[in-house]
Amino acid sequence: MTSMISCASWASRASRSLHEQRPHASRGLWPLALRLLELVRLRCSAVNGCDFCIAMHRKKAREAGLSAAEVVAIQSLGEEPIFCRDERLILELCDAVTRLADAQALRGVVDALQRSIGALQTVEVLYAIAQINAWNRLAIAGGLGGLVESDLVP
């Protein structure tokens, strides 16, 4: 049996604070498309192996306009030729930031993305990656990582 931190602890001040700091795209202020935000959320969740977040963001990615083939490709963690160059760079950045294995390679991806989409949007992508990584870690540590949304429906 998996232990799960109670819902009351998820409503803590820290959790609310993290939620309030969501990327501007969630609030309709980010110039980068919501589809890219869901691309980031799904990819990082797949890299981290958070089944709960994968299920949630798979659904949201489809609602944001990603095709079924794109959703599968994001989760495959391989090369994604069906995506445009900027999207491939964003996926590569998701992998590099989430794994943090090679600082030099990470710097190269950040530089390439910044040249392509600009500094402000690159920072927004980095922030979105950091945030979903925090949510993935909280979900996994709290016992939700191996669950899917349907497991939580009474």
Side-chain angles (χ1 to χ4, degrees):
M1 182 165 120
T2 302
S3 67
M4 194 177 348
I5 296 175
S6 73
C7 291
S9 42
W10 286 99
S12 72
R13 185 177 188 183
S15 180
R16 281 193 310 270
S17 176
L18 184 59
H19 183 70
E20 290 167 3
Q21 297 302 318
R22 67 193 183 278
H24 294 148
S26 298
R27 295 175 276 162
L29 303 174
W30 197 22
L32 209 55
L34 184 58
R35 119 184 202 101
L36 293 179
L37 180 60
E38 289 305 327
L39 179 141
V40 165
R41 289 173 171 168
L42 182 56
R43 180 54 161 244
C44 292
S45 296
V47 170
N48 285 319
C50 184
D51 293 336
F52 177 78
C53 295
I54 290 168
M56 177 175 29
H57 292 294
R58 183 185 306 127
K59 179 180 174 185
K60 288 184 176 187
R62 294 287 286 137
E63 291 169 359
L66 286 148
S67 70
E70 289 171 323
V71 167
V72 169
I74 291 167
Q75 292 179 248
S76 74
L77 305 180
E79 191 170 319
E80 297 77 16
I82 64 174
F83 294 104
C84 71
R85 180 178 182 274
D86 290 347
E87 291 168 334
R88 286 193 307 272
L89 283 170
I90 289 170
L91 291 169
E92 190 176 342
L93 186 59
C94 289
D95 295 354
V97 171
T98 301
R99 292 185 177 118
L100 289 176
D102 184 345
Q104 187 173 358
L106 172 58
R107 188 70 246 159
V109 177
V110 170
D111 291 345
L113 188 60
Q114 186 171 333
R115 283 190 303 274
S116 186
I117 67 173
L120 179 61
Q121 288 185 336
T122 299
V123 168
E124 291 284 351
V125 170
L126 284 166
Y127 193 90
I129 292 168
Q131 187 189 46
I132 190 59
N133 275 306
W135 280 116
N136 290 160
R137 283 152 177 76
L138 287 169
I140 291 167
L144 295 175
L147 301 175
V148 293
E149 284 183 304
S150 61
D151 291 334
L152 301 177
V153 177

